[in-house]
Amino acid sequence: MVLAPSAAAPDYFARHRELLDRAVITTANREYWSPYPESPSTSVYGEEAPKQGEAAFREQLGKDFVLEGHPRSGTVHAGEVSPYGLALGVTYPRLTPNEAIAAATAGIGPWRAAGPDTRAGVAAEILARINAASFEIAHAVQHTTGQAFVMAFQAGGPHAQERGLEAVAYAWAEQKRHPAAARWSKPQRKGEPLVLDKKFTPVGRGLALLIACNTFPTWNGYPGLFASLVTGNPVIVKPHPGAVLPLAISVRIARDVLTEAGFDPNLVLLVAEGPQDRIATLLAVRPEVRIVDFTGSTEFGDWLEGNARQAVVYTEKAGLNTVVLDSTDDYQGLLRNLAFSLSLYSGQMCTTPQNLLIPREGIDTDQGVRSAAQFADDLGAALDKLLGDPARAAGTLGAIVNDGVHTRLTEATTVGRTVHRSTSIEDPAHPQAAIRTPLVALLDAEADHRTYTREWFGPVSFVIGTDSTAHSLRIFRDTVREHGALTAAVHSTSEDVLAAAELAALEVGVHLSENLTGGVFVNQSAAFSDFHGSAANPAAGATLSDPAFVTGRFATLQSRRPVRSREAGDV
């Protein structure tokens, strides 16, 4: 289905121009800005929004997901199972790679001709409607990922939407870096100057494939979706089989807006798969697929980088997130901050700290010297205090998303010395949910090298005794350089140590947080100000977001023609 925008199509660019301008400005100044309110409050979203959102979510359960006009050649039973015990039972359209590619690419011409302004306006309208559906999406995120509801609302809703808008801003601005047209005039010694009229057109690289993850389908998915769409590329959205619904809702909204704007809705397609299907591997190497966005395991991310050679590949994988502990003047604040960082969503975040490096003999604190073993015990006590109330603990921990996390938790009991064992939390509202507190083990930097140099995704962290802070920094350098990291942190009262940690982070290409003891946590990042991920280390192939995240998705092509003398004089 190929449509052409009509004169009666809404002018979404004019509607959202102020928002887009503000977004571009904020990507440059890196100040705080939150265009989509993060509080799931009726005073913000309206008295009826929570009830309507939950009703919309539940209305879809046990049914075929409705996508008007979406091509299909069968039905997919994705097998989504809520970590909270709710049976989802949603089915989705099935598409073969050939069918998906043919449908998605049919409308490229009008979408390319629309230009950056129109495409950015359409994207901003999609985000506005996604924001209006935040409660519906929050329930979908909660019951596919295991995030507690408030986190599902914030991270799966407004925070994800802001990451999407951030990508829109970069994509729009980079395409506008050059003028749409220019007249070039080169003076000659004799006679008239050489005059050419030139046009410059941003042209999308081609079909984009978004391969989303189980734990943060929208937060990690929206940047690639909107970066590709605004730069003129159709997008095939391939969700994780365990978390299809949040992105299916997003695709439905995107298709509605594209239709209203007069474009082919198949510019955004949903390609769902069952647990045993491998459609991502088939699509990723097709010559028609020119862009791949992926969040997930290092193994598959490395495979994509090595095999999808016809495409530009943007990956967020995994690594060894590290904290270097040297000294502190707020020991209790440090413990509270780390305890929350380890507990949030049961450590099922690509940014959760795993390796806590501390000299065996201890660190200076405002409460005296604390050895590595004492620090480990103190951290365990801080975890018990934070998670002592079951209701509060359930709201912080969320639920375990899959069996792989349970397997790692069991294995972790066999390494080092467990100083804080993982226990089950009962949630009366969700009695079937598997909710677990973090496991913390005490390791030795030399004896347990093989243990802490692999990723333990989930609520598993290690306090690692080292010879000294210098030794900790050396381990930090070596492990991140080889295995990568999404985050790093340091605690020290010494400017020399902080400078050394900053230098080490620059050398191995990881973002660094220093002396976090309050309400900012190492595993959280703010759109428009914080960069997430870095292609400078093995854990990722891209940053969310920066110019490099968008410029590989399009080329600026020119056409030129000579200007006749009479026309040249009209300038």
Side-chain angles (χ1 to χ4, degrees), residues 8 16 29 31 36 50 52 119 169 182 253 342 394 465 472 475 523 537:
H16 298 291
N29 63 33
E31 294 177 355
Y36 306 115
Q52 291 173 348
R119 293 194 294 264
I253 292 170
L342 301 187
S472 297
I475 293 172
N523 42 349
N537 77 69

Side-chain angles (χ1 to χ4, degrees), residues 431-571:
Q432 293 177 274
I435 302 174
R436 299 290 296 271
T437 63
L439 181 147
V440 179
L442 181 63
L443 304 182
D444 181 81
E446 302 300 333
D448 298 304
H449 181 265
R450 292 184 65 181
T451 297
Y452 66 79
T453 52
R454 54 170 278 205
E455 187 208 8
W456 296 70
F457 182 77
V460 176
S461 293
F462 304 119
V463 175
I464 303 166
T466 67
D467 297 339
S468 62
T469 295
H471 186 206
S472 297
L473 287 170
R474 188 162 65 250
I475 293 172
F476 167 52
R477 275 193 182 90
D478 292 344
T479 55
V480 175
R481 181 179 288 117
E482 182 175 356
H483 302 283
L486 275 300
T487 62
V490 59
H491 286 269
S492 181
T493 58
S494 165
E495 287 297 328
D496 289 341
V497 171
L498 293 177
E502 288 181 10
L503 179 59
L506 292 174
E507 289 175 347
V508 298
V510 65
H511 307 301
L512 181 69
S513 297
E514 303 174 13
N515 293 333
L516 296 183
T517 57
V520 175
F521 305 94
V522 67
N523 42 349
Q524 296 175 321
S525 66
F528 299 102
S529 186
D530 291 323
F531 292 115
H532 173 76
S534 166
N537 77 69
T543 294
L544 305 181
S545 288
D546 64 2
F549 186 65
V550 302
T551 53
R553 300 172 192 265
F554 74 97
T556 300
L557 302 181
Q558 74 170 31
S559 64
R560 58 184 183 171
R561 66 173 63 174
V563 178
R564 292 177 296 179
S565 298
R566 183 180 301 174
E567 293 173 336
D570 294 337
V571 177

Side-chain angles (χ1 to χ4, degrees), residues 335-347:
L335 290 170
R336 287 192 299 269
N337 189 281
L338 270 180
F340 185 81
S341 295
L342 301 187
S343 301
L344 186 61
Y345 187 30
S346 297

Side-chain angles (χ1 to χ4, degrees), residues 286-303:
R286 286 290 296 260
E288 300 92 340
V289 172
R290 305 303 309 284
I291 302 164
V292 176
D293 286 279
F294 168 75
T295 303
S297 70
T298 297
E299 181 182 12
F300 191 52
D302 288 347
W303 184 90

Side-chain angles (χ1 to χ4, degrees), residues 191-261:
E192 299 293 325
L194 298 176
V195 184
L196 297 176
D197 273 345
K198 302 183 180 184
K199 293 192 295 186
F200 305 96
T201 304
V203 176
R205 184 181 178 93
L207 181 58
L209 171 64
L210 168 63
I211 307 172
C213 65
N214 195 170
T215 48
F216 288 89
T218 57
W219 197 96
N220 284 112
Y222 286 171
L225 169 63
F226 286 101
S228 287
L229 200 60
V230 174
T231 50
N233 306 288
V235 184
I236 292 174
V237 178
K238 207 295 295 179
H240 187 282
V244 181
L245 188 54
L247 286 173
I249 296 168
S250 306
V251 167
R252 182 193 68 205
I253 292 170
R255 290 173 59 84
D256 288 346
V257 174
L258 285 164
T259 299
E260 293 172 20

